Amino acid sequence: MPNTDYTPWYVSPQSQFKLSDFDTEPPSKGLPSGDELEEHLADMGEKLDKLQSTLHAAKTRGLLVVFQGMDTSGKDGVIRSVFSHVSPLGVRAEAFGVPTDLESRHDFLWRIHAKAPARGEMVIFNRSHYEDVLVTRVRGMIDEETCQHRYNNILRFESLLHNAGITVLKCYLHISKSEQKKRLQARLDDPRKHWKLQPSDFADRELWPKFTQAYEAALSATSTPESPWYVVPADSKPYRDSFVAGLIVQTLENMKLKTPKPSFDLSQVQLT
Ligand code: AMP
Ligand code: MG
C-alpha cells in the first residue's frame, strides 16, 4: 500500500458529510497488487508488535481501537488479520452485544468504561458505545433528544480518556450494499457460517438507508482531532486489512513512545 496519508478518509468534525462521498472500494489509481498488500500487512504487523511492546513498557499512553460497520463489514475479520501479528499478551479484544438486564439499568457508558484500556494497554472494541446512538436510534428505542445528549456524553467520555493518555481511534468499515448481499449469500451458502447469521442481519439490511443516516450523524458529531473517525474502504478485504494496520501503526508512532530507563544501575549487576 504504501499509503501514509490518511487525511482523505478522516471525517471532519461537524461536517454533515455523506457516506456516499467515500468509496467502498480501494482507490483505482496506483492500486497495489495482492502480493504488495500482503507484504505491507506483514510489515505493519511486525511494527505493530514492536510498538505494542514499547507501549506496554512505557505505560504512559494507551490505545483504544473501535470498529463499527454494517453487518458483514468485516469487524471480526479485520481484528483477526491485523492483530494476529501481535503477542496475545499485548492486546485485549472486547465485543459488545445487546446489553444485559444489568447493563441496561446503568448509564450506557458503564459497561464501556469498564473495558477501556489503561495506560500501557491496547484494546480493540468490536462494536462499542456507538451502538447506543445507532441501532437504538434506527429501531426507535431512543428519541432525537436522547441521541443528542448521548453524542455529548460520548464527546466528554472520549475527552476524559484522551486527558488520561488514552487515544481513541475509530474505524467505520465502509461496505456497499451489493457487497453485503454477496457476503450474506456466502454465509447462507456455507453451513459452517450459519451460526453467524441472526434475523437482525436481514431486518437491518432492509433499514440500510436509516443506518446510513444514523452513521453519518454519529460520525460527524463525534469525530475530533484527538479521537478521529476514519471511513475505511472495506469492500476488498486485503485492502481493508492493510489500511487499518497502517493507520494503527501511524497512530502509535505519533505517540513517540519511549521505553523507560532501567530503575537500577545495570553496571553493578554481576551474573554468577
Ligand atoms: P454481533 O456483533 O454479530 O455479535 O451482533 C451483536 C448485536 O448486538 C448486533 O445486532 C448489535 O446491533 C447489537 N447491539 C450491540 N450493542 C447494542 C446496544 N447498546 N443496544 C442494542 N443492541 C446492541
Ligand atoms: Mg453479526
Side-chain angles (χ1 to χ4, degrees):
M1 159 129 153
N3 171 27
T4 49
D5 180 10
Y6 290 96
T7 43
W9 292 275
Y10 167 60
V11 177
S12 303
Q14 310 298 334
S15 55
Q16 316 286 324
F17 76 106
K18 293 274 165 236
L19 273 173
S20 54
D21 299 339
F22 289 88
D23 282 330
T24 56
E25 285 174 21
S28 49
K29 246 204 300 182
L31 179 65
S33 67
D35 284 352
E36 280 173 320
L37 286 174
E38 221 169 272
E39 210 176 291
H40 179 256
L41 181 60
D43 283 356
M44 290 301 109
E46 222 173 278
K47 279 193 175 175
L48 194 55
D49 190 40
K50 291 200 179 103
L51 285 159
Q52 182 283 318
S53 271
T54 317
L55 182 85
H56 172 73
K59 294 205 173 30
T60 49
R61 302 290 301 270
L63 178 65
L64 172 58
V65 187
V66 170
F67 290 105
Q68 285 286 161
M70 306 281 196
D71 290 307
T72 76
S73 59
K75 299 180 286 292
D76 296 358
V78 77
I79 292 169
R80 190 185 310 113
S81 53
V82 171
F83 296 94
S84 61
H85 303 265
V86 180
S87 163
L89 280 173
V91 55
R92 169 160 62 83
E94 304 286 354
F96 295 93
V98 178
T100 62
D101 184 42
L102 176 66
E103 285 169 348
S104 56
R105 282 186 283 124
H106 279 275
D107 68 85
F108 76 102
L109 291 169
W110 180 73
R111 66 175 183 162
I112 304 295
H113 205 167
K115 306 285 186 184
R119 288 185 286 273
E121 275 195 307
M122 181 153 76
V123 172
I124 310 155
F125 279 2
N126 181 342
R127 301 190 192 268
S128 64
H129 42 307
Y130 284 95
E131 292 293 320
D132 294 282
V133 289
L134 292 163
V135 66
T136 46
R137 189 184 194 185
V138 170
R139 300 231 183 99
M141 294 148 78
I142 57 167
D143 60 20
E144 183 59 36
E145 194 187 355
T146 307
C147 190
Q148 294 297 330
H149 282 148
R150 287 188 179 182
Y151 292 156
N152 288 332
N153 294 147
I154 289 173
L155 286 169
R156 292 203 191 113
F157 170 62
E158 292 181 359
S159 162
L160 174 75
L161 294 183
H162 172 76
N163 292 339
I166 311 300
T167 295
V168 187
L169 171 65
K170 300 171 293 200
C171 298
Y172 172 73
L173 303 181
H174 188 28
I175 55 163
S176 62
K177 199 173 175 202
S178 56
E179 179 64 24
Q180 190 195 50
K181 188 175 183 185
K182 279 191 221 154
R183 293 185 187 180
L184 283 174
Q185 191 61 54
R187 285 187 189 176
L188 286 166
D189 293 343
D190 182 351
R192 286 167 307 174
K193 290 188 176 166
H194 284 176
W195 67 272
K196 279 196 166 196
L197 292 167
Q198 302 175 39
S200 64
D201 296 345
F202 304 98
D204 288 350
R205 179 172 167 77
E206 296 304 313
L207 296 169
W208 187 278
K210 287 203 165 157
F211 269 100
T212 301
Q213 276 174 10
Y215 267 111
E216 287 167 347
L219 269 56
S220 173
T222 60
S223 196
T224 63
E226 297 80 31
S227 306
W229 269 109
Y230 288 90
V231 177
V232 179
D235 275 359
S236 152
K237 295 176 185 178
Y239 188 81
R240 170 201 74 196
D241 295 346
S242 206
F243 185 106
V244 168
L247 184 59
I248 297 171
V249 164
Q250 194 175 82
T251 305
L252 286 166
E253 281 176 346
N254 286 343
M255 292 182 184
K256 311 254 183 281
L257 299 162
K258 286 198 179 72
T259 45
K261 298 226 156 45
S263 56
F264 58 100
D265 186 356
L266 296 186
S267 65
Q268 298 302 308
V269 175
Q270 302 234 332
L271 286 174
T272 54

